[in-house]
Amino acid sequence: MVMNPKQVFLSVLIFGVAGLLLFMYLQVWIEEQHTGRVEKTRERKATSGWGPMSYLQPVPRIMTTEKTQEHTTKQQKTEFHMPENLKEKKENLLNSERFARVLTKTSHSQGGDQTLNKIMESPTNKLIEKHQGTKTLFKKFSELNWPSDIRPLNKSLVKDDKWKKTDVTQEKRRSFLQEFCKKYGGVSHPQSHVFHMVSRIYVEDKHKILYCEVPKAGCSNWKRILMVLNGLASSAYNISHDAVHYGKHLKKLDSFDLKGIYTRLNTYTKAVFVRDPIERLVSAFRDKFEHPNSYYHPVFGKAIIKKYRPNVCEEALINGSGVKFKEFIHYLLDSHRPVGMDIHWEKVSKLCYPCLIKYDFVGKFETLEEDANYFLQLIGAPKDLKFPNFKDRHSSDERTNAQVVRQYLKDLTRTERQLIHDFYHLDYLMFNYTTPFL
């Protein structure tokens, strides 16, 4: 039987349509599988290796203790765009490869939640909705606008006049950071995942607190405070180090969906505590490389010794112990590091994004107890809850202070000291730190 041209055309058309539908179905299925894997990966990243939850006891872990919590971040090349007088530093506040898409909408503007709800309730075809839903939600979310100004602190719960001086200092810090970000921090299209941007922020829903963790700036005791505020412990003084860092007790902001993230960022009190960058760096080195450590020695120590120590002995390459501060600095300043960055010496500007997220409270390690206890007054914490002042680990060691820092810097050249400062230049500027170690 010979088919006429019309029949041939119809046959080709039918097969073409069928093929297109099959292609669309497979594309949706592949996208669905990929999305599921991404979510599972993110979930495993937050929870893998933990055993059953026990609030005040160390949690049994499958993975190495240090490896699970104190993970490394991938090395990132960053190009910044500063005004003419700062261009030589080659650092811009926000325009790094890891910056997140801007989440946005003022806390008082109407329609933000409605927009998100409309997106999620879109009556499109189920297959197309599965395929496009996530992309559409992210696109709409990225079109919202951040509040242009920080909100005034609610001081109605502060009754004691003794906090007046602390309050004046706090307002100066807030204003300084805000003005700095207005002047130097403008970015139209930050590029990265919103979940990465908020991945260091802890959530305490009862008192509506968001706390951005900066390692080596009092973060362990801050987590203890959050656990007490959450009702997980009666006192911050009887919570172990392992329970703080390896227990699945505190929620992070990236564990919520986009609407949950947006709502909390715009309604909760957001706090960040910082520290002089070089002092924080020395503190991290002492903690991770001058004491036995089953993660930092084999992962960082071996790589650092192998690349930066001439005539290295075999034993040092096997265990990675005995890294010298000068070798550590060579690693830090190397644009081709043999192993990536780590949160303990990463810049605050890349941990907490302080010009994208408008922090309501800026505390400093140098005045930690005073700032922390004032903050607890502001958020209406129980009157008997005070910020703990004990050293979390290596309690017999002298605290890292300016005098200790100078002892470590004395073996570096002036050029090396200047390069360290340049590396943390943005943090020094944003938080108005002086440079006493040069």
Side-chain angles (χ1 to χ4, degrees):
M1 177 181 177
V2 179
M3 299 177 67
N4 60 42
K6 186 175 180 180
Q7 290 174 316
V8 172
F9 173 77
L10 288 174
S11 298
V12 171
L13 180 63
I14 291 171
F15 279 108
V17 171
L20 179 61
L21 290 173
L22 178 62
F23 172 76
M24 290 175 65
Y25 175 81
L26 289 174
Q27 191 176 23
V28 170
W29 183 82
I30 291 170
E31 179 75 14
E32 199 173 45
Q33 294 299 309
H34 173 71
T35 303
R37 284 196 300 270
V38 169
E39 290 301 317
K40 286 179 180 178
T41 299
R42 188 161 64 84
E43 195 173 307
R44 283 198 304 268
K45 190 176 180 182
T47 62
S48 63
W50 312 127
M53 187 170 179
S54 177
Y55 288 137
L56 298 180
Q57 297 300 321
V59 181
R61 295 175 300 285
I62 298 171
M63 301 171 68
T64 303
T65 295
E66 295 287 353
K67 190 170 183 178
T68 50
Q69 176 69 15
E70 298 166 329
H71 60 81
T72 60
T73 56
K74 290 184 178 179
Q75 178 182 349
Q76 305 163 21
K77 293 183 180 179
T78 307
E79 182 176 355
F80 295 102
H81 305 282
M82 297 294 282
E84 292 298 325
N85 62 327
L86 295 174
K87 277 186 178 178
E88 69 274 14
K89 302 301 182 183
K90 296 182 180 179
E91 290 200 305
N92 173 313
L93 175 59
L94 301 171
N95 201 15
S96 74
E97 292 178 354
R98 300 284 296 176
F99 277 111
R101 279 192 180 276
V102 181
L103 297 165
T104 45
K105 188 88 178 161
T106 64
S107 55
H108 301 293
S109 71
Q110 299 177 0
D113 291 348
Q114 294 174 0
T115 301
L116 293 171
N117 288 333
K118 286 179 180 178
I119 294 168
M120 291 183 282
E121 295 170 2
S122 178
T124 54
N125 178 275
K126 287 185 178 180
L127 289 177
I128 302 299
E129 184 176 318
K130 288 180 180 179
H131 181 61
Q132 299 291 344
T134 302
K135 291 182 180 179
T136 303
L137 187 58
F138 272 98
K139 182 179 178 182
K140 290 294 183 182
F141 209 75
S142 67
E143 291 171 356
L144 303 174
N145 295 312
W146 278 107
S148 58
D149 295 314
I150 53 176
R151 297 175 302 173
L153 280 172
N154 179 4
K155 302 170 187 176
S156 60
L157 298 175
V158 181
K159 306 299 182 182
D160 199 329
D161 289 341
K162 74 175 184 178
W163 300 111
K164 283 185 177 181
K165 184 179 178 181
T166 308
D167 178 65
V168 170
T169 300
Q170 182 57 217
E171 291 299 338
K172 287 180 179 178
R173 290 176 188 165
R174 283 158 42 93
S175 298
F176 184 91
L177 180 59
Q178 183 184 19
E179 291 305 313
F180 174 86
C181 292
K182 282 182 178 179
K183 191 172 183 180
Y184 302 134
V187 167
S188 54
H189 299 291
Q191 299 175 2
S192 186
H193 210 281
V194 63
F195 289 104
H196 169 74
M197 187 177 76
V198 301
S199 63
R200 306 309 316 167
I201 297 179
Y202 285 86
V203 180
E204 201 283 287
D205 285 316
K206 185 177 179 181
H207 295 83
K208 296 188 175 182
I209 300 169
L210 298 180
Y211 162 71
C212 186
E213 175 191 30
V214 176
K216 313 312 299 180
C219 69
S220 297
N221 282 337
W222 260 117
K223 291 179 188 177
R224 289 183 171 93
I225 288 291
L226 294 178
M227 290 176 68
V228 174
L229 291 173
N230 258 311
L232 302 175
S234 58
S235 170
Y237 287 87
N238 57 11
I239 307 175
S240 70
H241 174 85
D242 279 6
V244 167
H245 289 286
Y246 310 120
K248 186 185 169 185
H249 310 314
L250 299 172
K251 293 180 288 186
K252 285 188 176 180
L253 194 52
D254 65 348
S255 67
F256 296 88
D257 60 18
L258 288 173
K259 186 177 179 182
I261 293 172
Y262 156 72
T263 300
R264 286 168 176 80
L265 282 172
N266 283 282
T267 58
Y268 283 25
T269 302
K270 301 174 288 295
V272 60
F273 277 71
V274 299
R275 186 177 187 176
D276 177 276
I278 293 180
E279 186 175 299
R280 177 173 164 252
L281 176 69
V282 172
S283 177
F285 173 79
R286 296 177 72 201
D287 181 27
K288 304 307 175 189
F289 296 102
E290 293 187 348
H291 296 274
N293 193 297
S294 61
Y295 174 60
Y296 282 89
H297 290 189
V299 175
F300 285 87
K302 288 167 67 173
I304 290 172
I305 291 172
K306 182 177 181 180
K307 183 166 185 179
Y308 305 108
R309 183 179 297 179
N311 305 317
V312 59
C313 68
E314 186 176 348
E315 183 182 356
L317 286 176
I318 292 175
N319 57 39
S321 299
V323 172
K324 298 174 182 177
F325 186 65
K326 194 178 186 76
E327 295 168 338
F328 176 67
I329 295 305
H330 287 171
Y331 145 79
L332 180 76
L333 301 175
D334 190 351
S335 60
H336 301 286
R337 299 183 191 97
V339 61
M341 280 293 287
D342 180 85
I343 58 172
H344 291 84
W345 46 86
E346 181 62 278
K347 306 162 191 175
V348 176
S349 56
K350 295 176 75 174
L351 290 173
C352 297
Y353 303 89
C355 280
L356 284 178
I357 299 173
K358 306 298 182 183
Y359 287 96
D360 304 296
F361 193 94
V362 180
K364 290 192 173 184
F365 185 81
E366 292 75 12
T367 52
L368 179 58
E369 283 188 66
E370 180 181 343
D371 292 345
N373 286 322
Y374 177 52
F375 180 78
L376 292 176
Q377 291 278 315
L378 289 171
I379 55 97
K383 291 184 178 180
D384 60 343
L385 180 60
K386 304 298 180 185
F387 193 82
N389 59 4
F390 62 85
K391 203 169 184 286
D392 188 55
R393 290 203 298 177
H394 317 309
S395 56
S396 61
D397 290 359
E398 181 182 3
R399 284 186 182 273
T400 303
N401 52 33
Q403 184 177 354
V404 171
V405 171
R406 289 189 181 92
Q407 291 298 312
Y408 281 80
L409 296 182
K410 69 180 183 180
D411 293 329
L412 304 181
T413 65
R414 182 174 180 81
T415 299
E416 288 169 336
R417 294 197 298 271
Q418 181 64 54
L419 288 172
I420 297 172
H421 175 267
D422 292 349
F423 183 84
Y424 290 109
H425 181 65
L426 195 56
D427 284 1
Y428 272 102
L429 288 176
M430 294 174 77
F431 300 108
N432 198 24
Y433 276 107
T434 57
T435 56
F437 302 117
L438 297 181

